[in-house]
């Protein structure tokens, strides 16, 4: 166990830095076997430092060789400083001084992909959260903001392009075929936003004129083979820049904005000032190689990183406990951007579906933490769906409470007051309070309390008094370290529909409220009385998913059908479809357990039939919404809401129901499929991708039937497709079909697909992923085979996610096989990856940490796998934190 392993950092221990760095001047000399870094730091004592902080200077640094250290030009003798663990301590420094430091690092050996490392033939960096300390000794914390100049020197033939943050102020040739470039970033920034790239890259260039008339150069750098995949991201970048001006009044500040695509990257992308670095899968796309889903993802990630320029870079975080200040806010911003670019309702449904499956599960698991956590061992483990997605929901609730005008006033004031500063989530909330006059006291619990609130609702109609009383009780389950919770302030947007599905105008406490009202739930239990209700209504609850809660209401199935048909709010409508399917799935689970014959409530068939008829009858309907209405709750969601997960039951029942619906409605599915087919050239627009999404949803139903004619349809779609969305959907329909009859066709097309796309890395990743994630029992041997395929590389995170991640996260029946082979497999992979890339290793672990949700047999096998990981030598702090917390 490493010294740093069990160390916990607490929010309550925060101290301002004792010293500040006004200027940072770096010279980075890249060679094949080593990199030499010279850092010159202009430093001074922080006037806000606590008097007890002493005259010592403590810098962070790891994995490097210190070659020389001077203070104000005087080289320090060995006894003037100490290097221990991850710090360098100079025993005494004056109030104002210059530190110069020479270090040697080995990026080519850095497989953690944090700090400076090599991805294929390119040097690149990832500094957030604490990677800068692997480049040089520094005050590597977000509340130390400095101006940077960076001179890069490298071989000119191998690395013709040398990039860093800000503006290029100088460049030229050096001896021995080397050259240099110097970059200056006029905006002060914390070290986590530093970036450097050197490689043989080409660029697609364009420009953008800002609202004040300034011309900004836009450049996307890629390897020459990928030049044909940059146009979409360039368009998305311009749309983001315009949107941030129009919606938030935020203009871009530098004269140049660069994006670089790299193949080896731990996450999606990174918002380094003026020089965003992207995982190539999140920026490169063209219709031949990319699906609609990929286009959508790219647009939202390009937007997300761009929006960070204000929410994150200009106004940054005081410490890493405040991470959601920039991430939650920026996710909220990017989801609104996506909603404005496409279908708002469908975007909301997709976000909610992810939140409810992944974040709710995190909130119920051993790593549960609040949006502003109180402690961590390894900050890399806290880039979570709670910080990001739940954080975004918390910002969304504030935006809704304030309304558009006041929220804009609030964000304007937030950006103006805190520009160039490192602040806290508290600064954000109090700004919202200041501009609105609202009291957000109780609301703040969303930041400090972990766990997903549960709302149990019931309704009672009094025909005599013509009132409908909605009773809502809230509770929140305990989370690690927090057994008791105080009640949350929860905005619940509701409406009522009458028996014909018409909205009822709402009257409460003698006032009329239109057709929609936000109920303010603040107590453990509250009654809301609607007056002048002429007949028993059906409540439409949590419209727009107005708060991140689990809500239950004893809906009758006919009421759910009414909501599916008439409710205007997309989320409520979709949720009604999910609830109806859920009730039917529960019936089937019951029958399965009792050994009874499986009978399907015909009302679900009728409901699906009306949805299909709607798609056939109304040309203007949102087809993506229809596709969502036709999707049964996912296995992951069914597992998340179960008290104890019956892995095999869920899979069997859901597959049974999917096929049953396909059988019952075969002709309708076919009619919709045929109506969706189009010979038109591919364009990525909201309407066209909605059409393809519906087409491929119904194709999936048809392919699940044991009928060669439908498999021929799939083949035809595969062969005729002029885009990746349709060809890969056809292939997936076969891959996910356990029927032996289509196996030959599946194998043939899979081989054809690989043959055709083997030189396109991103397509090969999709090919690997669809096979690993295939929802068929006993898929592990296939996964092991894929790991031996020449396209697999355990050092590349995208490949690891496509093969190992897809299997363990998305293939419950195989991963949870009762013989424990899935768990053993994951433990082996985590142990291997722990030594290569701890961040990736620790992320992969998640499915094992959820052992409490499974039956006794699985529980003990999962714990056994976790204990084996815990006993492995040289466990990284990343893996140690997750394993040890999940075994508690
Ligand atoms: N801020 C980065 C994430 C960094 C993760 C470091 N382990 C990307 C983003 O959220 O935009
Ligand atoms: Zn972000």
């Amino acid at each position: 166990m490493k010294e740093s392993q069990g160390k916990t950092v607490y929010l309550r221990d925060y101290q301002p830095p004792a010293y500040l760095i006004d200027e940072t001047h770096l010279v980075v000399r890249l060679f094949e076997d080593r990199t030499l870094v010279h850092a010159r730091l202009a430093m001074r004592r922080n006037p806000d430092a606590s008097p007890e902080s002493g005259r010592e200077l403590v810098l962070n640094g790891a994995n490097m060789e210190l070659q020389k250290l001077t203070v104000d030009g005087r080289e320090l003798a060995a006894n003037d400083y100490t290097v221990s663990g991850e710090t360098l301590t100079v025993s005494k420094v004056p109030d104002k001084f210059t530190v110069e430091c020479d270090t040697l690092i080995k990026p080519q050996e850095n497989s953690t992909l944090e700090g400076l490392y090599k991805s294929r033939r390119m040097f690149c960096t990832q500094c957030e959260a604490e990677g800068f300390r692997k480049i040089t000794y520094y005050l590597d914390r977000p509340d130390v903001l400095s101006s940077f100049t960076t001179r890069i020197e490298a071989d000119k033939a191998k690395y013709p392009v040398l990039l860093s943050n800000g503006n290029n102020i100088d460049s030229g040739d050096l001896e021995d075929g080397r050259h240099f470039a110097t970059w200056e970033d006029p905006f002060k920034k914390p070290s986590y936003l530093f970036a450097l790239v050197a490689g043989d890259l080409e660029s697609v260039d364009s420009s953008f004129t800002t609202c004040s008339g300034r011309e900004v150069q836009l450049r996307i750098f890629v390897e020459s083979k990928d030049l044909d995949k940059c146009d979409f991201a360039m368009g998305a970048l311009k749309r983001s820049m315009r949107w941030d001006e129009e919606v938030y009044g935020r203009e871009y500040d530098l004269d140049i904005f660069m994006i670089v695509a790299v193949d080896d990257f731990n996450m999606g992308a990174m918002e380094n000032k003026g020089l965003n670095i992207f995982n190539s899968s999140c920026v490169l796309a063209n219709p031949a190689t990319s699906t609609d889903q990929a286009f959508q993802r790219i647009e939202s990630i390009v937007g997300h990183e761009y929006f960070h320029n204000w929410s994150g870079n200009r106004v940054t975080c005081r410490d890493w406990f405040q991470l959601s200040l920039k991430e939650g806010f920026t996710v909220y911003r990017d989801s609104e951007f996506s909603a404005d670019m496409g279908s708002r309702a469908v975007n909301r449904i997709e976000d909610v579906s992810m939140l409810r499956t992944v974040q709710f599960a995190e909130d119920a698991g051993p790593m549960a933490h609040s949006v502003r956590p109180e402690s961590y061992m390894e900050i890399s483990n806290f880039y979570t769906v709670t910080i990001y997605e739940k954080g975004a929901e918390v910002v969304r609730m504030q935006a809704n409470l304030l309304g558009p005008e006041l929220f804009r006033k609030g964000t304007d004031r937030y950006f103006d007051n805190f520009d160039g500063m490192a602040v806290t989530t508290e600064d954000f909330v109090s700004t919202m309070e200041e501009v609105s006059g609202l009291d957000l006291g109780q609301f703040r619990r969303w930041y400090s309390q972990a766990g997903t609130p549960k709302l149990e609702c019931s309704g009672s109609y009094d025909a005599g008094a013509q009132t409908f009383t909605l009773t809502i009780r809230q509770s929140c389950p305990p989370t690690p370290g927090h057994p008791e919770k105080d009640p949350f302030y929860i905005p619940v947007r509701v409406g009522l529909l009458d028996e014909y599905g018409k909205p009822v105008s709402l009257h409460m406490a003698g006032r009329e409220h239109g057709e929609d009202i936000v109920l303010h739930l603040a107590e453990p239990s509250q009654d809301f009385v609607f007056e002048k209700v002429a007949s028993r209504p059906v409540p439409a609850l949590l419209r727009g998913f107005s708060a991140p809660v689990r809500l239950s209401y004893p809906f009758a199935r006919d009421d759910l059908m009414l909501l599916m048909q008439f409710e205007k709010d997309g989320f409520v409508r979709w949720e009604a479809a999910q609830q109806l399917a859920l009730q039917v799935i529960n019936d089937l689970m019951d029958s399965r357990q009792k050994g009874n014959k499986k009978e399907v409530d015909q009302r679900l068939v009728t409901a699906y039939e009306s949805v299909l008829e709607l798609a056939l009858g109304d040309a203007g309907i949102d087809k993506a919404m229809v596709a969502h209405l036709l999707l049964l709750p996912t296995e992951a969601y069914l597992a998340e809401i179960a008290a104890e997960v019956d892995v095999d039951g869920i899979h069997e029942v859901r597959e049974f129901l999917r096929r049953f619906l396909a059988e019952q409605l075969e002709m309708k599915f076919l009619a919709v499929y045929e109506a969706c087919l189009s010979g038109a050239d591919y364009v990525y627009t909201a309407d066209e991708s909605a059409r393809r999404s519906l087409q491929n949803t119904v194709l999936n139903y048809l392919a699940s039937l044991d009928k060669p004619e439908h498999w021929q349809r799939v083949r035809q779609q595969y062969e005729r497709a002029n885009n990746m969305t349709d060809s890969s959907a056809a292939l997936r329909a076969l891959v996910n079909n356990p029927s032996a009859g289509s196996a030959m066709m599946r194998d043939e097309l899979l081989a054809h697909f690989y043959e055709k796309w083997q030189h396109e890395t991103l397509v090969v990743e999709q090919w690997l992923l669809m096979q690993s994630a295939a929802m068929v029992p006993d898929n592990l041997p296939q996964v092991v085979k894929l790991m031996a395929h020449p396209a697999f590389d355990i050092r590349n995170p995208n490949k690891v996610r496509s093969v190992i991640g897809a299997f363990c996260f998305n293939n419950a029946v195989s991963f949870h096989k009762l013989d424990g082979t899935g768990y053993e497999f994951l433990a082996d992979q985590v142990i291997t990856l722990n030594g290569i890339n701890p961040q990736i290793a620790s992320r992969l672990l998640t499915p094992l940490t959820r052992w409490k949700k499974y039956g006794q047999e699985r529980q003990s096998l999962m714990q056994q796998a976790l204990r084996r990981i815990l006993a492995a030598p040289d466990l990284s702090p990343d893996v140690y934190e997750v394993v040890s917390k999940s075994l508690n």
Side-chain angles (χ1 to χ4, degrees):
M1 179 150 102
K2 269 209 241 159
E3 181 198 327
S4 59
Q5 219 167 55
K7 244 176 119 187
T8 300
V9 187
Y10 294 93
L11 167 61
R12 60 167 185 265
D13 292 342
Y14 173 82
Q15 291 289 337
Y19 292 90
L20 300 174
I21 307 177
D22 291 322
E23 290 172 28
T24 302
H25 300 274
L26 299 172
V27 180
V28 181
R29 292 155 65 207
L30 304 165
F31 298 94
E32 289 315 295
D33 58 342
R34 70 198 186 285
T35 289
L36 301 173
V37 180
H38 177 82
R40 177 159 56 84
L41 313 176
M43 301 190 68
R44 69 185 152 94
R45 185 153 180 87
N46 181 4
D48 298 332
S50 89
E52 296 93 72
S53 62
R55 312 303 298 182
E56 270 182 1
L57 173 67
V58 184
L59 299 175
N60 311 103
N63 300 349
M64 59 180 97
E65 188 185 303
L66 178 62
Q67 297 193 315
K68 191 175 170 189
L69 181 65
T70 71
V71 171
D72 289 332
R74 186 178 70 87
E75 185 165 356
L76 297 194
N79 57 358
D80 293 334
Y81 67 91
T82 48
V83 176
S84 127
E86 299 205 342
T87 54
L88 182 161
T89 307
V90 181
S91 45
K92 196 159 185 276
V93 288
D95 278 351
K96 199 164 188 289
F97 55 99
T98 299
V99 175
E100 285 184 78
C101 176
D102 286 288
T103 47
L104 182 152
I105 53 178
K106 300 212 161 168
Q108 65 283 357
E109 288 172 13
N110 180 358
S111 61
T112 65
L113 313 188
E114 194 191 45
L116 178 64
Y117 65 94
K118 271 198 106 170
S119 172
R120 288 158 59 88
R121 286 176 295 279
M122 164 192 335
F123 285 95
C124 61
T125 53
Q126 171 54 37
C127 293
E128 187 177 359
E130 298 181 334
F132 193 76
R133 64 186 62 184
K134 293 177 164 182
I135 298 174
T136 187
Y137 285 104
Y138 204 75
L139 293 175
D140 190 16
R141 46 188 287 170
D143 55 354
V144 171
L145 279 70
S146 173
S147 66
F148 280 70
T149 56
T150 306
R151 176 182 158 110
I152 312 163
E153 298 180 10
D155 184 89
K156 189 171 180 176
K158 286 199 174 93
Y159 310 101
V161 172
L162 306 175
L163 310 173
S164 190
N165 318 85
N167 304 309
N168 182 208
I169 53 165
D170 195 11
S171 55
D173 288 339
L174 300 166
E175 283 175 0
D176 301 329
R178 292 172 65 78
H179 71 147
F180 77 95
T182 306
W183 293 80
E184 184 181 71
D185 183 358
F187 291 95
K188 289 196 163 211
K189 64 167 177 289
S191 51
Y192 83 85
L193 290 171
F194 172 80
L196 176 159
V197 169
D200 186 0
L201 302 172
E202 295 193 32
S203 66
V204 167
D205 298 345
S206 189
S207 71
F208 178 83
T209 308
T210 70
C211 50
S212 73
R214 276 188 317 104
E215 174 122 334
V216 178
Q217 217 193 331
L218 308 178
R219 309 192 69 183
I220 301 183
F221 288 90
V222 293
E223 290 182 35
S224 62
K225 67 176 172 60
D226 292 321
L227 277 170
D228 60 345
K229 302 188 196 75
C230 299
D231 291 351
F232 182 74
M234 185 63 89
L237 175 59
K238 292 179 190 171
R239 291 192 288 281
S240 312
M241 295 176 87
R242 192 60 77 215
W243 187 87
D244 214 14
E245 291 182 345
E246 286 171 3
V247 181
Y248 282 85
R250 298 293 118 194
E251 186 180 353
Y252 185 62
D253 44 15
L254 287 161
D255 297 332
I256 179 166
F257 185 88
M258 296 175 282
I259 286 179
V260 182
V262 308
D263 284 346
D264 302 283
F265 207 62
N266 280 347
M267 63 271 172
M270 177 64 211
E271 71 264 23
N272 316 297
K273 183 77 188 186
L275 177 56
N276 285 189
I277 298 184
F278 271 65
N279 184 322
S280 38
S281 71
C282 297
V283 60
L284 302 179
N286 70 30
T289 58
S290 317
T291 59
D292 291 334
Q293 234 186 346
F295 282 109
Q296 188 187 0
R297 193 165 127 83
I298 288 169
E299 181 168 69
S300 86
I301 298 182
V302 167
H304 180 98
E305 305 311 328
Y306 175 73
F307 301 143
H308 266 316
N309 192 54
W310 276 96
S311 48
N313 301 5
R314 291 286 289 255
V315 180
T316 196
C317 302
R318 187 193 73 173
D319 54 71
W320 293 120
F321 298 101
Q322 318 299 327
L323 183 56
S324 196
L325 175 76
K326 75 178 178 82
E327 295 305 347
F329 187 22
T330 306
V331 171
Y332 171 68
R333 275 150 59 68
D334 86 53
S335 73
E336 284 297 292
F337 167 64
S338 297
D340 285 346
M341 297 298 120
S343 156
R344 179 163 283 272
V346 170
N347 270 289
R348 188 69 188 133
I349 289 168
E350 287 169 357
D351 287 352
V352 170
S353 166
M354 204 277 253
L355 186 88
R356 294 207 304 195
T357 328
V358 189
Q359 197 280 324
F360 284 13
E362 179 166 275
D363 242 351
M367 287 291 288
H369 54 278
S370 49
V371 169
R372 187 197 51 221
E374 262 138 49
S375 69
Y376 59 76
M377 288 185 188
E378 171 51 61
I379 185 57
S380 298
N381 286 330
F382 284 77
Y383 285 76
T384 60
V385 275
T386 300
I387 300 294
Y388 277 65
E389 273 71 24
K390 185 174 181 179
E393 292 302 315
V394 172
V395 173
R396 178 180 298 279
M397 285 189 284
Q398 293 173 75
N400 289 341
L401 285 170
L402 269 71
E405 274 161 34
L406 283 176
F407 184 66
R408 171 64 194 273
K409 201 171 159 198
T411 57
D412 280 353
R413 187 175 295 183
Y414 167 76
F415 288 126
D416 290 348
N417 281 359
F418 301 116
D419 191 8
M421 293 167 67
V423 301
T424 62
T425 54
E426 177 51 34
D427 292 315
F428 185 89
V429 180
S430 47
T431 305
M432 296 304 146
E433 255 176 345
E434 267 168 44
V435 296
S436 65
L438 289 174
D439 174 0
L440 297 174
Q442 189 183 1
F443 183 88
R444 283 174 171 78
R445 289 181 187 149
W446 284 107
Y447 285 97
S448 59
Q449 294 192 138
T452 308
K454 191 165 131 193
L455 304 192
E456 283 164 291
C457 308
S458 58
S460 72
Y461 180 63
D462 181 337
Q466 303 237 307
T467 57
F468 177 73
T469 305
L470 183 67
T471 304
I472 311 183
R473 285 198 304 133
Q474 65 159 305
S475 59
C476 182
T479 50
H482 292 264
E484 303 286 338
K485 314 280 174 163
D486 294 321
F488 286 86
Y489 167 76
I490 302 172
V492 187
R493 232 181 107 196
V494 306
L496 301 177
L497 301 193
D498 70 13
E499 66 224 272
Y500 306 106
K502 283 228 188 58
V504 172
S505 56
L506 306 175
H507 297 262
M508 269 185 122
R511 273 188 52 209
E512 204 191 320
H513 292 271
E515 293 170 358
D516 199 68
I517 189 171
V518 177
L519 306 177
H520 301 275
L521 178 69
E523 307 296 329
S525 176
Q526 267 169 267
D527 283 346
F528 300 93
V529 183
F530 295 89
E531 297 140 4
K532 300 191 189 169
V533 186
S535 59
R536 191 190 71 87
V538 177
L541 301 171
L542 210 65
R543 281 182 171 159
F545 196 66
S546 61
V549 296
R550 296 174 196 268
L551 182 145
S552 64
Y553 184 89
F555 279 113
R557 292 184 192 185
D558 292 335
D559 291 350
L560 291 170
M561 289 174 76
L562 182 114
L563 287 170
M564 267 179 84
Q565 208 176 349
F566 296 108
E567 166 64 0
K568 293 279 177 301
D569 182 79
F571 162 72
V572 172
R573 211 169 149 208
W574 168 74
E575 171 64 354
Q578 294 279 295
Q579 285 297 327
L580 184 62
L582 210 61
Q583 292 195 11
V584 172
I585 287 172
N586 285 339
D587 293 348
L588 295 170
M589 295 285 278
D590 265 0
S591 312
R592 181 180 181 270
Q593 223 155 36
K594 295 185 183 129
N596 295 345
K597 190 166 170 283
K598 295 196 187 91
E599 305 265 13
V600 177
D601 184 337
Q602 202 58 29
R603 280 176 289 188
L604 185 67
V605 180
T606 313
Y608 270 52
E609 188 169 19
S610 338
V611 173
L612 290 165
E613 270 163 10
L614 208 64
L616 288 167
D618 177 356
I621 197 161
D622 181 346
K623 297 196 171 63
M625 181 72 199
V626 173
H628 279 286
L629 290 174
L630 293 173
L631 286 178
L632 292 173
T634 61
E635 288 190 20
Y637 184 62
L638 294 169
E640 204 289 312
I641 57 177
E644 181 181 312
V645 187
D646 172 0
V647 183
D648 305 303
I650 287 177
H651 180 69
E652 189 192 299
V653 160
R654 189 180 179 279
E655 284 298 288
F656 166 83
L657 186 55
R658 198 163 75 90
R659 235 160 272 140
F660 181 83
L661 290 166
E663 265 161 33
Q664 297 278 307
L665 297 168
E666 183 179 358
M667 288 306 129
K668 284 269 152 57
F669 278 120
L670 190 55
V672 171
Y673 179 69
E674 280 169 352
C676 282
L677 285 176
S678 148
D681 285 349
Y682 175 90
V683 277
Y684 175 71
T685 58
D687 282 351
E688 278 292 274
S689 76
R691 177 183 63 72
R692 284 184 289 268
S693 138
L694 180 57
Q695 172 185 323
N696 291 317
T697 302
V698 293
L699 180 66
N700 234 324
Y701 276 104
L702 292 171
S704 73
L705 295 171
D706 254 330
K707 286 200 171 176
E709 56 170 293
H710 293 314
W711 303 335
Q712 281 311 326
R713 257 186 199 98
V714 175
R715 174 192 277 274
Q716 234 170 45
Q717 171 165 326
Y718 176 82
E719 283 167 355
R720 293 187 187 165
N722 62 2
N723 64 80
M724 183 53 77
T725 307
D726 288 339
S727 58
S728 67
L731 199 49
R732 245 191 326 272
L734 292 178
V735 169
N736 284 319
N737 188 359
S739 147
S742 63
M744 244 169 70
M745 187 189 291
R746 175 198 66 206
D747 292 344
E748 181 200 333
L749 297 190
L750 274 172
H752 176 269
F753 190 85
Y754 181 74
E755 184 67 26
K756 180 166 175 192
W757 296 111
Q758 55 182 307
H759 302 298
E760 292 286 355
T761 317
L762 297 174
V763 183
V764 171
E765 280 162 15
Q766 292 309 308
W767 179 80
L768 292 167
L769 187 144
M770 70 171 87
Q771 294 177 78
S772 267
M775 287 289 214
V776 291
D778 220 0
N779 205 31
L780 182 58
Q782 175 64 12
V783 173
V784 172
K785 214 164 104 194
L786 289 173
M787 284 182 67
H789 192 280
F792 182 77
D793 174 6
I794 198 152
R795 298 168 81 88
N796 176 272
N798 288 1
K799 300 287 189 317
V800 170
R801 282 186 280 258
S802 295
V803 178
I804 307 171
F807 173 72
C808 303
F809 283 76
N810 305 336
N811 194 343
V813 257
S814 285
F815 174 67
H816 290 285
K817 207 176 155 193
L818 256 180
D819 61 3
T821 46
Y823 309 146
E824 285 301 300
F825 168 77
L826 179 53
D828 290 340
Q829 304 315 317
V830 169
I831 291 169
T832 307
L833 279 158
N834 173 65
I836 299 172
N837 187 331
Q839 282 182 25
I840 298 295
S842 131
R843 273 181 186 249
L844 272 186
L845 256 169
T846 310
L848 278 178
T849 66
R850 305 284 154 77
W851 55 269
K852 287 196 177 115
K853 295 268 302 190
Y854 295 84
Q856 200 49 53
E857 238 172 311
R858 286 191 170 99
Q859 282 205 6
S860 58
L861 290 165
M862 290 169 95
Q863 284 173 285
Q864 208 174 303
L866 285 166
R867 277 196 294 268
R868 187 155 69 81
I869 298 172
L870 192 63
D874 298 323
L875 220 52
S876 60
D878 310 58
V879 174
Y880 175 78
E881 174 170 31
V882 178
V883 179
S884 59
K885 287 185 175 170
S886 66
L887 276 170
N888 266 334

